[in-house]
Amino acid sequence: MNAAATLGPIEAPPRSDRVVELDGARISRAIRARRRYRYVQPRVQREGLGWLVASPNCSRNIDPHGGEIPVAWLVPASQGCWLLHKRDHAQGCWVLKSAGVTLAQALRELCEDPQREFWP
């Protein structure tokens, strides 16, 4: 028998509405201190089990009109860990960038972005 079939679906840990709101506030506050495109106002909103970060594309590398693009998706996992995804704009999908990190570590990676993986 397939072991994955016996485990059932993966579910996010139960979290109170207040904790979820605080997570969103932490993410919003952290991205204001990012290194790239500090002059634009990214938007943070609930997306599935996590948080979507979308921003105007000032470089116009993805959207030639400078429209808003998704740049990151942060999803809480188990035991206080998070999953950080970056957007693959060419393929139109999310790619897992970091797993098993704290929210602070994920936000640091997102905000520093030395390889321009999140803020193209």
Side-chain angles (χ1 to χ4, degrees):
M1 182 173 196
N2 185 342
T6 62
L7 296 176
I10 297 173
E11 295 181 22
R15 297 165 57 85
S16 73
D17 289 340
R18 181 115 172 112
V19 169
V20 170
E21 289 175 29
L22 290 173
D23 290 340
R26 281 183 68 192
I27 294 166
S28 293
R29 186 173 48 253
I31 62 173
R32 286 193 290 261
R34 70 194 175 283
R35 295 187 189 264
R36 301 210 180 277
Y37 307 115
R38 295 187 65 175
Y39 45 87
V40 299
Q41 186 68 21
R43 181 173 51 86
V44 176
Q45 71 178 42
R46 289 290 305 196
E47 179 77 22
L49 298 174
W51 295 94
L52 171 75
V53 178
S55 179
N57 184 221
C58 295
S59 69
R60 300 179 189 264
N61 290 335
I62 306 302
D63 183 339
H65 302 291
E68 188 176 82
I69 60 169
V71 295
W73 183 36
L74 297 111
V75 181
S78 61
Q79 299 177 350
C81 293
W82 285 73
L83 305 173
L84 173 62
H85 300 80
K86 66 179 184 174
R87 186 72 176 172
D88 181 333
H89 296 281
Q91 298 296 317
C93 63
W94 291 107
V95 176
L96 182 62
K97 177 71 174 134
S98 294
V101 295
T102 65
L103 181 56
Q105 290 168 324
L107 291 171
R108 188 170 32 258
E109 187 172 348
L110 171 62
C111 292
E112 291 177 1
D113 193 24
Q115 302 299 318
R116 292 182 57 177
E117 296 177 281
F118 296 100
W119 308 92

